[in-house]
């Protein structure tokens, strides 16, 4: 048990109870009548969902004799008759509420007598050993694990006023049937009168949960927020009441949250991952949110959302995503991100003018052989930073692996491409201090330009690679250009 109100409470229901199984299936349920420490009680079970699966169950119980619903039936359940009246029984036929409080906990009907009744139908049933009573029953849709509204009266009292034979008898039966159907509204009195009492218990439990629990009306207005909001979002829970649910989301995710709430109202359940909720100070935190529609359960009377904070998972995802597309040594974009940016260029119509520079460090192996691999790694880190500093914000500097780098120059022409190549060579050649020694590294750069609007990026890359090898064959420590790429495959 995560929390209880009062703290000393022990649960009389568990995994074997039908209401518990209903909640484990993702729906709210209610227990059969049970005697707990000499008091007749029933219990409502409400699931708390995460990723579509219940991770906790909120259990709310009440004393049936002290329930507002019992008070309603005690005053209006006789339907004007001198003796007899209405009772609400559970799926086993045991009285939950009754015109006669002494009937609570007693069985009025066997389950077999009630099993074939349909919601919206009131029918006279013949009970074994109850030939001296008229019994009419109708199922109650509000009780998810089953329940019935039962009218019962002694036969002499029921037919006392019959004066015109069968016609009057049928009219009396019809009147009672109608009263039984209308009497279903008595349950609404039970739920409405119990909301203030049960919601206090519900809030006491939910305020102890680490996840933020939110209840909204069908229009999206917030009716309840657990106190975890203050811890995770930095604002008191009361500050959210009355606001529209999308308004508490980070602005970029407001539409996502609105659509999510609509799905929950339509389908009964919904889930959304990686949603940002606004925090104090214009910040945000990441959440996975599950919703279940409990508008038919007045203890909640709305759509219940469980917001599970995923900051650690999000940080891990961001770190893994960064590692997948960046070189661990230099922090530069890697070959995978280089290819992805070329794909973005290829998808643009018309393809913009761009250039690719292939950079290969000359005789870098001698640095590793002479000074060691740690010194070689430091040289690569410094050169990577220099290459990044020599370009502009529109340029993408990547490390392809080993001692090879590449630069994508966006929105450029031949003059600028060669100017950038010269600056890169100059930057690379500056002496580097490693382990107290000065190291100088040279490089060869191949330049390829896409001047045609239909130039394939892949062809530009191949031309840059080819230009780089031609420059090496010509003597290294230089740049070389390939002819502009114009629509070649």
């Amino acid at each position: 048990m995560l929390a209880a109100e009062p703290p000393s409470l022990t649960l009389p229901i568990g995994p074997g109870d039908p209401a518990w199984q209903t909640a484990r299936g993702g729906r709210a349920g209610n227990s059969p009548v049970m005697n707990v420490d000499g008091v007749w009680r029933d219990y409502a079970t409400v699931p708390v969902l995460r990723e579509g699966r219940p991770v906790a169950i909120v259990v709310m119980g009440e004393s049936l004799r002290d329930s507002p619903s019992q008070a309603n039936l005690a005053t209006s359940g006789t339907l004007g008759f001198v003796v007899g009246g209405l009772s609400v029984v559970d799926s086993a036929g045991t009285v939950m509420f009754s015109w006669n409080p002494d009937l609570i906990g007693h069985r009025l009907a066997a389950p077999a007598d009630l099993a074939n009744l349909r919601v919206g139908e009131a029918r006279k049933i013949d009970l074994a050993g109850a030939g001296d009573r008229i019994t009419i029953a109708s199922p109650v849709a509000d009780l998810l694990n089953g329940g019935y509204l039962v009218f019962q009266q002694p036969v002499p009292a029921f037919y006392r006023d019959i004066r015109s034979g069968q016609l009057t008898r049928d009219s009396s039966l019809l009147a009672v049937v109608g009263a039984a159907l209308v009497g279903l509204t008595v349950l609404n009195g039970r739920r409405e009168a119990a909301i203030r009492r049960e919601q206090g218990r519900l809030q006491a439990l939910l305020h102890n949960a680490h996840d933020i629990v939110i209840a909204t009306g069908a229009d999206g207005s917030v009716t309840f927020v657990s106190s975890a909001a203050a811890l995770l979002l930095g604002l008191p829970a009361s500050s959210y009441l009355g606001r529209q649910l999308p308004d508490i989301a980070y602005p970029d995710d407001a539409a996502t949250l609105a659509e999510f709430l609509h799905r929950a109202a339509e389908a009964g359940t919904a889930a959304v991952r990686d949603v940002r909720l606004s925090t104090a100070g214009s910040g945000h935190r990441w959440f996975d949110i599950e919703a279940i529609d409990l508008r038919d359960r007045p203890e909640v009377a709305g759509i219940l959302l469980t917001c599970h904070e995923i900051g650690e998972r999000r940080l891990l995802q961001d770190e893994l995503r960064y590692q997948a597309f960046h070189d661990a040594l230099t922090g530069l974009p890697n070959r995978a991100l280089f290819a992805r940016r070329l794909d973005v260029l290829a998808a643009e119509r018309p393809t913009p003018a761009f250039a690719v520079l292939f950079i290969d460090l000359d005789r870098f192996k001698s640095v590793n052989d002479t000074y060691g691999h740690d010194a070689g790694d430091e040289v690569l880190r410094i050169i990577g930073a220099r290459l990044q500093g020599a370009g502009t914000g529109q340029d993408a500097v990547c490390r392809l692996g080993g001692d090879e780098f590449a630069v994508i120059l966006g929105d450029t022409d031949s003059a600028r491409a060669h100017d950038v190549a010269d600056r890169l060579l100059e930057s690379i050649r500056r002496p580097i201090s490693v382990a107290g020694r000065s190291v100088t590294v040279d490089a060869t750069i191949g330049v390829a330009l896409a001047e045609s609007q239909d130039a394939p990026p892949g062809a530009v890359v191949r031309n840059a690679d080819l230009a780089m090898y031609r420059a090496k064959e010509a003597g290294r420590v230089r740049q070389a250009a390939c002819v502009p790429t114009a629509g070649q495959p």
Side-chain angles (χ1 to χ4, degrees):
M1 185 183 299
L2 298 178
E5 178 64 31
S8 60
L9 178 69
T10 58
L11 287 182
I13 65 174
D17 190 272
W20 194 279
Q21 295 297 325
T22 299
R24 290 191 64 181
R27 298 183 299 115
N30 65 277
S31 74
V33 175
M34 58 184 65
N35 192 302
V36 180
D37 298 329
V39 178
W40 292 104
R41 296 180 176 273
D42 79 332
Y43 293 84
T45 56
V46 180
V48 178
L49 302 180
R50 181 180 301 162
E51 297 183 359
R53 303 174 63 184
V55 296
I57 297 174
V58 178
V59 181
M60 297 170 288
E62 67 177 346
S63 166
L64 297 176
R65 183 176 286 270
D66 298 328
S67 167
S69 301
Q70 173 54 39
N72 289 338
L73 278 183
T75 57
S76 60
T78 62
L79 301 179
F81 294 97
V82 176
V83 293
L86 294 170
S87 300
V88 177
V89 303
D90 63 15
S91 59
T94 304
V95 175
M96 302 171 68
F97 314 105
S98 178
W99 66 278
N100 180 2
D102 292 336
L103 292 178
I104 295 175
H106 289 74
R107 177 168 289 181
L108 280 191
D113 297 323
L114 303 168
N116 295 324
L117 297 177
R118 296 187 302 240
V119 174
E121 172 189 47
R123 184 192 304 170
K124 180 177 177 296
I125 58 177
D126 297 318
L127 304 179
D132 61 337
R133 283 167 288 170
I134 292 290
T135 303
I136 298 173
S138 179
V140 178
D142 286 18
L143 298 176
L144 297 181
N145 285 96
Y148 303 85
L149 187 68
V150 177
F151 174 83
Q152 200 168 65
Q153 191 179 40
V155 171
F158 187 78
Y159 293 119
R160 180 181 302 146
D161 295 329
I162 294 179
R163 297 175 180 174
S164 57
Q166 186 67 32
L167 178 62
T168 305
R169 174 183 174 183
D170 289 346
S171 299
S172 296
L173 281 171
L174 182 61
V176 172
V177 168
L181 290 174
V182 173
L184 291 173
T185 60
V186 172
L187 286 181
N188 291 335
R190 171 202 174 195
R191 297 301 183 190
E192 292 170 4
I195 286 176
R196 292 182 295 274
R197 186 175 182 180
E198 299 298 347
Q199 195 170 49
R201 299 177 184 176
L202 175 64
Q203 292 183 13
L205 291 170
L206 296 183
H207 281 313
N208 286 287
H210 176 70
D211 293 343
I212 299 175
V213 180
I214 301 173
T216 74
D219 62 349
S221 60
V222 176
T223 59
F224 169 82
V225 177
S226 67
S227 54
L231 175 65
L232 295 175
L233 301 179
L235 294 171
S238 60
S239 67
Y240 295 99
L241 300 181
R243 297 172 60 183
Q244 290 292 305
L245 181 66
D247 293 343
I248 72 176
Y250 194 66
D252 292 346
D253 290 346
T256 299
L257 203 56
E259 191 274 336
F260 161 73
L261 187 64
H262 176 74
R263 282 193 288 114
E266 289 289 322
T269 61
V272 65
R273 294 170 62 90
D274 298 317
V275 171
R276 290 165 291 184
L277 299 184
S278 297
T279 62
S282 301
H284 67 269
R285 298 186 80 159
W286 291 91
F287 291 85
D288 285 348
I289 304 179
E290 301 279 345
I292 181 172
D293 186 358
L294 296 177
R295 286 175 292 177
D296 61 340
R297 302 291 297 184
E299 295 90 343
V300 179
I303 297 175
L304 194 69
L305 297 90
T306 304
C307 308
H308 178 60
E309 200 267 340
I310 57 165
E312 291 185 5
R313 189 191 82 195
R314 185 74 191 193
L315 287 174
L316 178 59
Q317 288 176 335
D318 291 344
E319 179 63 23
L320 292 175
R321 187 178 296 109
Y322 181 87
Q323 292 177 8
F325 291 105
H326 289 80
D327 175 53
L329 180 63
T330 64
L332 294 175
N334 61 13
R335 184 181 294 272
L337 188 51
F338 176 74
R340 175 171 289 192
R341 290 183 175 175
L342 287 173
D343 289 340
V344 171
L345 286 173
E348 294 187 32
R349 290 292 181 270
T351 302
F354 70 98
V356 174
L357 280 58
F358 257 41
I359 305 167
D360 186 81
L361 303 184
D362 293 333
R363 301 184 180 89
F364 176 75
K365 183 176 181 299
S366 64
V367 175
N368 284 330
D369 293 342
T370 303
Y371 302 105
H373 287 281
D374 289 343
D377 288 348
E378 181 64 17
V379 168
L380 291 173
R381 278 192 290 267
I382 292 173
I383 289 178
R386 289 180 179 180
L387 293 176
Q388 199 165 30
T392 69
Q394 297 180 349
D395 303 331
V397 179
C398 308
R399 184 188 177 205
L400 303 182
D403 57 359
E404 292 184 340
F405 296 82
V407 181
I408 302 174
L409 302 179
D411 190 20
T412 191
D413 55 22
S414 178
R416 178 173 180 267
H418 287 283
D419 179 64
V420 171
D422 286 337
R423 291 205 312 269
L424 295 178
L425 282 174
E426 182 180 351
S427 177
I428 292 170
R429 290 170 181 159
R430 294 203 310 267
I432 299 172
S433 178
V434 177
R437 299 188 180 186
S438 180
V439 176
T440 301
V441 177
D442 288 315
T444 302
I445 301 179
V447 180
L449 187 69
E451 292 184 339
S452 170
Q453 292 184 348
D454 60 351
V460 181
V461 171
R462 289 194 297 271
N463 286 341
D465 191 31
L466 177 61
M468 186 268 295
Y469 280 105
R470 286 177 178 173
K472 281 189 175 291
E473 291 173 356
R476 302 175 185 265
V477 194
R478 67 186 65 201
Q479 61 161 297
C482 186
V483 294
T485 308
Q488 74 184 79

